[in-house]
Amino acid sequence: MDDVRLGRYQEYIARHGLTEQQVLDQVDESFGRPLLIVAAGSVIAGFGNDTSDLDLHTVVEEDVASLLPLMSYPNGARIDGVLCGADRLMDRHREMSASTWPPREVRPGDIWAKRKAIDAITRYGLGLPLFGTDDWIAWQQCLEAEADAWISDWYAVEAHRMRAAAQALRAHKPLVAGVRAGDALLAALDRHAASRGESYFKGKWLGEKLERLGDARALADYARAVSPPLSAREVPRYIERVDDTLHSYLGDVDTGSWRWSLQPAVGTSWESFGEQHLVSRWGLRAAVVSAGSGVAEPRTWTYRLSEEWDPDVEALFCEDMLWLGVQQVGRPSGSSE
C-alpha cells in the first residue's frame, strides 16, 4: 500500500523494536473482538517525536464502559488504546452525516460537543487502518471522504465567529479583540491547510502543517495571527489587516443563511431591583441595565451577519455574560428578528 501514513507507522514500531502483531496485541478484547483497528494521532499525521504515543482506535462489538484510553508500554513505546462500541460509533456517524454546521438551532455547549465529535470520529477516518472486516474497512474509507467537509465547515464557522467577537470587543476590550482577530485568522488558516490535504484535527500543529505545504504566504499570515497587538493603539489597524486577509481564505463560504445567536452564558442570572436589573455570572462579575433595556430579561438575540447588535447586547457580550453562536436560517422563538 503506497500510503505515507504506513511509512510513519512502520518507522515508529521499528524504532521501538515492535512487530505489527505486537502492536495489535495491545488491543483489549474485553468488550468483544475488534471489528476495525485504526492507528491515529500525531505519529500517523507526521508530527510526532521520540516521546509521542501511538493512538489505536478500535471498534468492538459491545458497548464500552469508558472512552478513557487504555495505556500500554511494550518495549518502552507508549500505545494509547481507545475502544468504541460499533452501535455507538454508527449512531454518531449517522448524526454527523445528517446534521449541518452551522445548525438550525444552537445552544451553549453545542460548539464544544461538535468539536469533540469531529475530533473523535475523524480519528477513524483519517488514521491508518491496521485491521478490519471488509464492511468496516469500506466504512472507514467512506468516512475519510466525509471528514474533509466536516472539518471545513467547522473552521469556516469558527473563523466568522471569532471575527464577530473581535468586532464587538474592539471598543470595549481592544487587547482581547486583537486576540480574537488572531483566532479568526488561525481558524481560516486551519481550513486552508485542510483543503490542501492537512486535515489532522489538531490546531496546535497548524504551523507545521503550513511548513510541510511550503505555503510561504500562509506562514506569514500565521505569524501575524499568533502575534496580536500589545497596545490598544495598534488594535484597529491589526483587525483591519486581519479582515482583509480573511476575505482571501473565506471568500467561497456562503454565509447568506447564517445568523448570530447571542444567548445567556452558563451561570448568568438576572435580578430585578426596581428601575434596574442586575445581570451577574457565577456571582463573580455583574452589570446593571435599565428596566427598559433590550437586555432587561434573558432570551435569545438573533442578528444577520451584517446587522448591528443592540448596544446593550454588545456590552453584555463583552462582559462575558452572553455566549455567541452561529445558526442557519430557522429562527428560535424569542429572537429579535
Side-chain angles (χ1 to χ4, degrees):
M1 182 170 69
D2 185 16
D3 189 328
V4 67
R5 295 171 298 184
L6 178 60
R8 294 165 184 161
Y9 169 71
Q10 292 176 333
E11 179 184 354
Y12 180 86
I13 65 174
R15 186 164 66 244
H16 293 282
L18 295 171
T19 65
E20 294 186 13
Q21 186 58 51
Q22 285 175 310
V23 173
L24 296 178
D25 288 343
Q26 307 310 309
V27 175
D28 191 311
E29 297 190 14
S30 301
F31 296 94
R33 67 182 182 87
L35 303 173
L36 177 69
I37 302 175
V38 176
S42 60
V43 169
I44 302 303
F47 304 118
N49 54 42
D50 291 341
T51 63
S52 295
D53 57 302
L54 178 68
D55 298 334
L56 291 185
H57 290 259
T58 302
V59 183
V60 293
E61 295 175 317
E62 302 178 20
D63 287 339
V64 179
S66 172
L67 294 180
L68 292 175
L70 304 173
M71 292 175 286
S72 59
Y73 302 88
N75 288 5
R78 173 173 168 169
I79 296 180
D80 289 355
V82 178
L83 303 178
C84 188
D87 289 344
R88 178 171 182 172
L89 188 59
M90 291 304 295
D91 287 344
R92 177 176 286 179
H93 183 204
R94 281 190 288 268
E95 181 180 326
M96 290 284 292
S97 299
S99 62
T100 60
W101 195 256
R104 291 284 180 177
E105 293 189 10
V106 66
R107 294 288 182 268
D110 288 354
I111 289 176
W112 176 86
K114 185 71 171 183
R115 183 183 186 92
K116 183 178 179 181
I118 294 174
D119 184 29
I121 199 166
T122 57
R123 295 293 186 110
Y124 293 92
L126 300 177
L128 173 72
L130 303 180
F131 168 83
T133 66
D134 291 344
D135 288 346
W136 279 96
I137 290 293
W139 174 84
Q140 192 269 345
Q141 292 172 346
C142 290
L143 182 62
E144 182 176 9
E146 291 181 88
D148 287 345
W150 297 336
I151 292 170
S152 178
D153 289 347
W154 164 265
Y155 283 125
V157 171
E158 282 303 281
H160 281 281
R161 198 169 72 94
M162 291 299 104
R163 178 180 179 273
Q167 293 293 344
L169 288 159
R170 185 171 178 169
H172 302 264
K173 298 180 179 180
L175 292 181
V176 180
V179 173
R180 290 294 169 264
D183 290 341
L185 184 50
L186 288 174
L189 288 168
D190 255 314
R191 180 175 182 267
H192 171 75
S195 71
R196 283 154 178 76
E198 294 290 349
S199 299
Y200 182 46
F201 195 62
K202 287 291 181 183
K204 67 180 180 180
W205 299 112
L206 176 56
E208 284 80 357
K209 292 177 185 178
L210 298 175
E211 283 189 356
R212 194 153 71 186
L213 289 171
D215 194 329
R217 172 176 171 269
L219 278 167
D221 292 332
Y222 174 76
R224 181 180 304 119
V226 297
S227 305
L230 300 179
S231 71
R233 178 177 55 83
E234 301 172 273
V235 169
R237 176 57 181 153
Y238 178 81
I239 291 179
E240 289 173 6
R241 291 184 66 190
V242 167
D243 277 351
D244 290 342
T245 305
L246 286 174
H247 289 307
S248 66
Y249 290 112
L250 302 173
D252 63 318
V253 180
D254 182 4
T255 61
S257 63
W258 294 13
R259 300 292 184 268
W260 303 129
S261 178
L262 291 113
Q263 304 171 40
V266 175
T268 304
S269 61
W270 272 251
E271 300 290 341
S272 177
F273 290 92
E275 295 297 318
Q276 294 179 320
H277 295 270
L278 182 68
V279 185
S280 64
R281 187 175 187 198
W282 303 123
L284 298 176
R285 58 169 65 92
V288 176
V289 297
S290 66
S293 168
V295 296
E297 295 180 354
R299 62 187 182 92
T300 296
W301 294 268
T302 307
Y303 299 97
R304 296 181 179 86
L305 268 60
S306 60
E307 188 177 1
E308 290 189 8
W309 301 356
D310 180 293
D312 288 341
V313 169
E314 181 176 285
L316 283 189
F317 170 76
C318 293
E319 289 301 321
D320 203 25
M321 307 288 190
L322 299 182
W323 173 86
L324 174 63
V326 185
Q327 65 185 43
Q328 298 275 7
V329 170
R331 302 187 299 274
S333 59
S335 68
S336 65
E337 292 189 338

